[in-house]
Amino acid sequence: MPDIHVSAAVIVDDRGRALVVRKRGTTRFMQPGGKPEAGESAARTLIRELHEELALRVDEADLTPLGTFVSAAANEPDHRVVADAFALRAQAEDVVVQAELAELRWLERGDWTSVPLAPLSSEHLLPIAWA
């Protein structure tokens, strides 16, 4: 099964809500992030993606590495996603949907059923957000 390497952000606000996003043309919500460009580290990839997708400016010092997680890919059949995940804090007023994103949601602690989630989010990243 081919791997898709990404960087993903587990973003929590001061109310304990976790941010998930949905890309245009898809149905599942997931943590923001994306694929690296040539020569980018996982952290640099995430910093670029957060700026492109959410107009969020973060420094590498703002990111707390959480590890690497593997799940079935949400939007590419017969692929799996290998995600380097990082935690950070942000506030709702600091993020703006742009680029390929269609919408975002702030999920309350344990709010697993209000939106369809990507496997990586439901299996690994949201449990970390609320650990």
Side-chain angles (χ1 to χ4, degrees), residues 3 8 11 21 24 26 34 37 45-46 59-60 64 69 72-74 87 91 94 97-98 101 112 114 117 124 127:
D3 290 343
I11 301 176
V21 299
R24 271 186 258 136
T26 67
E37 293 180 354
T45 297
L46 189 57
D59 293 319
E60 198 161 336
T64 302
F69 302 91
Q91 302 312 315
D94 295 335
V97 169
Q98 54 187 29
L101 295 184
W112 299 95
S114 66
L117 293 169
H124 299 292

Side-chain angles (χ1 to χ4, degrees), residues 62-73:
D62 299 326
L63 303 176
T64 302
L66 298 172
T68 302
F69 302 91
V70 180
S71 287

Side-chain angles (χ1 to χ4, degrees), residues 34-115:
K35 299 172 187 163
E37 293 180 354
E40 273 186 332
S41 68
R44 291 309 282 142
T45 297
L46 189 57
I47 290 166
R48 177 183 50 78
E49 289 283 347
L50 292 176
H51 180 62
E52 290 173 3
E53 294 181 351
L54 297 169
L56 192 59
R57 292 197 181 272
V58 298
D59 293 319
E60 198 161 336
D62 299 326
L63 303 176
T64 302
L66 298 172
T68 302
F69 302 91
V70 180
S71 287
N75 299 316
E76 290 88 356
D78 301 320
H79 287 69
R80 63 184 198 162
V81 64
V82 179
D84 290 307
F86 298 85
L88 71 140
R89 290 248 182 229
Q91 302 312 315
E93 60 271 11
D94 295 335
V95 297
V96 178
V97 169
Q98 54 187 29
E100 70 268 14
L101 295 184
E103 65 179 306
L104 64 82
R105 300 273 179 90
W106 288 94
L107 300 181
E108 299 289 339
R109 178 180 296 275
D111 183 9
W112 299 95
T113 59
S114 66
V115 296

Side-chain angles (χ1 to χ4, degrees), residues 10 19 21 23 37 91 123 127:
V10 178
L19 178 69
V21 299
K23 296 184 183 209
E37 293 180 354
Q91 302 312 315
E123 293 169 3

